[in-house]
Amino acid sequence: MAFKADKIWMDGTLVDWDKASTHVLSHVVHYGTSAFEGVRCYKTQNGSAVMRLHDHIKRLFDSCKIYRMPVPYTIEQVESAVLETLRANKLEQAYIRPFIFRGFGELGVNPSKCPVHVAVAAWDWGKYLGPEALEKGVSVCVSSWRRAAPDTFPTMAKVGANYMNSQLIKLEALENGYAEGIALDINGYVSEGSGENIFVVIGGKLYTPPSSSALLPGITRHSVFQVARSLGIEVEQHQLQREALYTADEIFMTGTAAEITPVTMVDKITIGTGVRGPITKRLQEKFFGITEGKLPDEFGWLTVL
């Protein structure tokens, strides 16, 4: 196994990693009824700290609300469970996966008679797109798979079933030799990657697709808004045509796992000069400066263990 820790928090109790299980007839197994988050804990100069913990858990609860999953804990209790899990596993830095899912009650599309469970796992996980990607960038493709129309799957919810679409995007990209795929929305405008939001730099200004382009409004995406504006870099949410990717000066993708990863090629077309651009580098430097404790936490992102 590529990753493992000692304990997982399940429904209020820390259990051994290998004993954290659910029934094969659980609703989540058959119908994808789960909401989840990806959260990072960074090792800073001031101790370990969780990045935007409250924002992540609030979004987790919002996802459950959209899918009518009553959560048997409060936001504060789940935040405490995250910190408890990190301490129990003695993790100084980690990727954290809080998730809420429907268990075994009865089989059928109607989930209402299936119990809702809450769990938190954490483990040491490196750079999502590779350790060199943050500097050298990655090559991506525009996927043949589209994001769903707005009246089909609610893209504001971060739920397991939505990620079947992401799997198709990711697998297609990998099978064709790319690190990641970029999906278009139902109208043919740029949406997002399989698990990342996307930004382009044109003429010194940042552009990113709006939420109406069938994307998850990412927490790291919002963090980039904050960092960019603090550096005097303008940010606009705009519908982006596919060809805007090819002519951009810089492109980068954002997400809890991907953090801020430059894109240096799209569909084998070189972006800008083919290396990480200066604006991407400035944003990375401030973002990681804060998360590593080298710069003041001016946005109140970090919850110290």
Side-chain angles (χ1 to χ4, degrees):
M1 181 178 286
F3 56 84
K4 189 174 180 178
D6 293 330
K7 299 290 184 180
I8 292 177
W9 190 95
M10 289 192 71
D11 293 331
T13 304
L14 287 166
V15 300
D16 291 342
W17 180 282
D18 292 327
K19 295 181 180 178
S21 60
T22 189
H23 198 281
V24 294
L25 292 182
S26 292
H27 203 270
V28 63
V29 177
H30 297 264
Y31 303 105
T33 39
S34 67
F36 70 95
E37 283 294 317
V39 190
R40 276 200 186 268
C41 175
Y42 288 94
K43 183 180 179 181
T44 80
Q45 295 181 345
N46 304 310
S48 299
V50 182
M51 176 69 168
R52 300 192 66 170
L53 175 60
H54 180 75
D55 296 317
H56 279 287
I57 303 306
K58 173 64 165 59
R59 187 173 66 178
L60 177 66
F61 274 65
D62 287 345
S63 297
C64 290
K65 186 174 185 180
I66 291 168
Y67 272 90
R68 294 172 169 81
M69 277 198 291
V71 186
Y73 297 92
T74 65
I75 289 176
E76 292 73 22
Q77 285 174 317
V78 176
E79 289 175 8
S80 296
V82 168
L83 301 178
E84 183 182 355
T85 304
L86 290 169
R87 294 184 186 116
N89 288 295
K90 298 180 174 62
L91 290 166
E92 293 184 314
Q93 59 186 17
Y95 182 85
I96 309 155
R97 174 53 56 87
F99 57 107
I100 300 171
F101 63 96
R102 291 274 189 179
F104 173 62
E106 63 180 26
L107 205 58
V109 173
N110 176 17
S112 58
K113 294 185 179 180
C114 297
V116 176
H117 299 286
V118 182
V120 179
W123 61 91
D124 192 355
W125 194 15
K127 303 305 180 185
Y128 181 61
L129 294 173
E132 298 181 345
L134 293 178
E135 180 178 352
K136 294 186 176 180
V138 294
S139 177
V140 308
C141 64
V142 174
S143 180
S144 67
W145 295 99
R146 298 281 183 100
R147 283 302 196 203
D151 54 352
T152 54
F153 292 91
T155 55
M156 285 184 65
K158 190 175 176 70
V159 294
N162 289 12
Y163 278 75
M164 291 300 291
N165 176 258
S166 295
Q167 288 180 47
L168 292 170
I169 294 165
K170 185 73 172 183
L171 287 169
E172 179 184 56
L174 294 175
E175 288 171 2
N176 286 290
Y178 298 97
E180 186 56 277
I182 296 172
L184 305 180
D185 67 17
I186 191 67
N187 297 309
Y189 293 105
V190 175
S191 178
E192 61 181 349
S194 70
E196 310 89 4
N197 294 127
I198 189 162
F199 288 81
V200 302
V201 180
I202 301 172
K205 186 183 291 187
L206 274 182
Y207 296 91
T208 192
S211 300
S212 56
S213 285
L215 56 88
L216 179 73
I219 290 170
T220 307
R221 173 179 179 264
H222 181 259
S223 299
V224 168
F225 290 172
Q226 294 176 297
V227 170
R229 288 165 180 156
S230 75
L231 294 173
I233 300 168
E234 291 184 62
V235 186
E236 290 190 15
Q237 297 184 59
H238 251 292
Q239 286 183 319
L240 294 173
Q241 295 150 303
R242 175 176 180 166
E243 56 267 33
L245 299 174
Y246 304 146
T247 59
D249 300 320
E250 303 175 39
I251 299 175
F252 60 88
M253 306 182 88
T254 64
T256 295
E259 296 166 305
I260 300 175
T261 298
V263 173
T264 50
M265 294 190 79
V266 179
D267 292 340
K268 302 190 185 300
I269 296 174
T270 300
I271 305 306
T273 60
V275 298
R276 176 183 58 181
I279 288 181
T280 304
K281 184 179 180 182
R282 287 181 67 197
L283 294 168
Q284 285 180 327
E285 286 173 346
K286 183 154 188 179
F287 178 86
F288 289 115
I290 294 171
T291 59
E292 292 169 4
K294 297 174 183 177
L295 294 175
D297 180 16
E298 63 183 272
F299 308 115
W301 286 347
L302 303 176
T303 300
V304 179
L305 264 65

